[in-house]
Amino acid sequence: MQPDDAAARARFEALFDAHYAELTRFASRRVGADTAGDIVSGTFLIAWRRLAEVPDAHPRAWLYAVARHVIANELRSRERRNRLAAKAGVADDTVTEDHAGQVGEQLRVRAALAALSPADQEVLRLTAWDGLDVAEAAIVLGCGRTALKVRLHRARRRFAARLRAAEDTDVSAARRGPLPTILPEGNLR
C-alpha cells in the first residue's frame, strides 16, 4: 500500500481521528503535557510510514506499543541531556507540574502505585487508566494474553496491599490525634 494512495490516506485519517485523543492522554501521563504532542506526532508519523504493518484487528494496541517506544526514546534523550547538563554545570530547566491541588485519595493511590515495580505500574496503567483490554495490553507489552492476565492479577494484588498499608498508616495516625502545638517562648500570653 502506497502512502499517497486514497485508501491509505482514508485509513490513516480514521486511525488518527479514532485514537489521537487517547494517545495524547497516554503520553501526557508518562512525559507531561508539554512533550505529549511530540510523542503523538512521532507515533502517527511511524504509523503513516508503516501503515501496511498496522493490524486491522487491534490498531489501538499497535499504536500504544509504538507510542511506548517513542516515549522510551524521549526519556533516554532527556536522561542524556540531564547528564550532559550536569557535567556542564548547567541548571536543568524542565518544568514540573504543580500537584498542590491534589489531595487525599488521589495522593494515596499515586503513592501506592509509585511503590510498585515499573512493570506492575505499566500493566495497571494500560488496563485501568488507558482502558485497553487484555488482548490489546498483551500486544502493547509484547506478551501473551495468559501471561498478561497473570501479570495483571499479581499487580492488582500488590497494589491493593499497598493501598491497605497506606490506609492502616493513616488510621493509626488519626488515632494518635493532632500533634501538640509548641509556641515559641516569647508568645506565652
Side-chain angles (χ1 to χ4, degrees), residues 57 72 80 86 110 122 127 134 157 168 175:
R80 276 193 303 274
R110 288 181 186 267
E122 189 67 11
T127 56
V134 171
R157 190 177 61 214
D168 293 345
R175 285 184 186 149

Side-chain angles (χ1 to χ4, degrees), residues 33-48:
D34 295 342
T35 309
D38 294 337
I39 298 298
V40 175
S41 294
T43 300
F44 279 110
L45 177 63
I46 292 168
W48 174 250

Side-chain angles (χ1 to χ4, degrees), residues 137-152:
I139 291 169
V140 171
L141 295 176
C143 64
R145 289 172 55 133
T146 304
L148 191 279
K149 287 180 183 179
V150 170
R151 286 176 64 181
L152 180 59

